[in-house]
Amino acid sequence: MNSATTNKPELTRDLFLGEKIILWQDAEGYRAGIDPILLAAFNVPKRSERILDLGCGVGAVSLCLLTKNPQVFIMGLEILKETFELAKLNAAENNLVDNFVPVLGSVSNIPPIIKMGSFDLVVSNPPYTMAKTTNLSPYAKKQIAHVETQANIEIWVKTASVALKHKGLFSFIHRADRLDHLLGALRPFFGGITIHPLWPKSGKQAKRVLIKAKKGSKAPTVLTSGTIIHMNDGSYTPEVASILKGNSLLNFE
């Protein structure tokens, strides 16, 4: 991920997946990093599938998905007007305006243009922290990206369920220490849940989990061996380095 400042005020032009993706984003506040890349690498959509990116931000997850799966169609839902405009800019910068269509709106009040029950896959990098359990960032955009100030995880899960076709998949990344809460929110709507821990280093507790769940499934939950992010010296493991360059996907089967 390379970054360069430009004459556009308070924005940076970042390069993701081995410079395959251009991503304009705010210079301060919330900035896309490794999480959306790993989430995209956790999914292999089928040709011509319809995907909904809940809380798409500037489009990082969607653009990473389209780099590997150019035939899919993605709608992205974003609540902040300025961030929504950046998502549209990034779709144009990457020549993906026909494949990635950002929509302005809220997870708790889906705009009619997003047809419920029509998606094969929903992806999301939702806020990780429960409201009133952390000190809020001075950056309003970062607050909305990190803290459940607008809608709790139960609303995100229910919205994903309603948006999906029967047996459609919901895939998201979240905090490992909220796993019990996440599973409780999923179980009324989803089964066949796959949990993929992300270990910061070998021998360290997982900080993040990737989760995939199937709407209406009765299949049991599967816990994978997970992925180690860093070597002991702080560098990325070969697997993760390859993913960040856009050369491979996560091995989770």
Side-chain angles (χ1 to χ4, degrees):
M1 295 172 285
N2 299 322
S3 176
T5 57
T6 72
N7 58 359
K8 295 192 177 185
E10 300 178 351
L11 297 180
T12 62
R13 180 181 182 274
D14 301 311
L15 302 176
F16 280 61
L17 296 187
E19 304 188 1
K20 297 179 180 71
I21 292 174
I22 298 168
L23 200 73
W24 288 97
Q25 56 183 337
D26 289 312
E28 297 181 327
Y30 175 76
R31 291 174 54 78
I34 188 173
D35 286 4
I37 299 175
L38 293 176
L39 176 57
F42 188 53
N43 293 277
V44 187
K46 296 177 183 177
R47 185 182 179 89
S48 300
E49 281 194 342
R50 287 176 53 83
I51 300 171
L52 175 62
D53 184 353
L54 282 181
C56 70
V58 298
V61 177
S62 293
L63 297 173
C64 288
L65 276 171
L66 284 165
T67 299
K68 288 290 187 180
N69 308 275
Q71 302 303 318
V72 303
F73 174 76
I74 304 178
M75 296 191 81
L77 181 68
E78 175 52 43
I79 192 171
L80 292 174
K81 181 69 161 57
E82 292 180 12
T83 308
F84 158 75
E85 294 293 346
L86 283 176
K88 291 200 300 181
L89 171 62
N90 287 327
E93 284 282 295
N94 291 278
N95 298 312
L96 290 169
V97 293
D98 293 330
N99 298 82
F100 175 44
V101 178
V103 175
L104 184 64
S106 167
V107 171
S108 56
N109 187 19
I110 301 294
I113 192 173
I114 298 178
K115 303 300 182 185
M116 296 294 93
S118 69
F119 294 94
D120 304 284
L121 171 67
V122 173
V123 294
S124 187
N125 183 8
Y128 289 158
T129 306
M130 295 177 68
K132 300 180 181 179
T133 62
T134 186
N135 293 324
L136 294 178
S137 167
Y139 300 103
K141 295 177 186 177
K142 196 168 185 178
Q143 288 180 26
I144 291 176
H146 281 272
V147 183
E148 294 174 352
T149 53
Q150 302 292 325
N152 60 25
I153 190 61
E154 284 82 3
I155 292 176
W156 287 76
V157 170
K158 185 175 181 180
T159 299
S161 173
V162 174
L164 285 166
K165 299 175 181 177
H166 183 59
K167 301 298 184 181
L169 294 174
F170 178 34
S171 180
F172 64 105
I173 186 168
H174 216 288
R175 280 172 37 173
D177 62 3
R178 292 191 66 188
L179 182 57
D180 187 56
H181 186 182
L182 301 174
L183 292 175
L186 286 167
R187 286 192 175 113
F189 311 99
F190 295 92
I193 300 169
T194 298
I195 303 165
H196 188 84
L198 298 171
W199 316 104
K201 291 182 180 180
S202 179
K204 299 292 185 181
Q205 293 184 355
K207 296 291 184 67
R208 299 279 187 268
V209 286
L210 289 160
I211 297 177
K212 190 176 294 182
K214 182 176 288 188
K215 180 179 177 179
S217 173
K218 302 297 184 184
T221 297
V222 173
L223 178 64
T224 73
S225 58
T227 297
I228 299 172
I229 304 299
H230 294 104
M231 305 290 286
N232 288 335
D233 63 3
S235 62
Y236 287 117
T237 60
E239 179 185 5
V240 171
S242 179
I243 291 166
L244 296 181
K245 292 176 182 176
N247 295 331
S248 61
L249 299 173
L250 273 173
N251 180 17
F252 64 92
E253 298 294 346

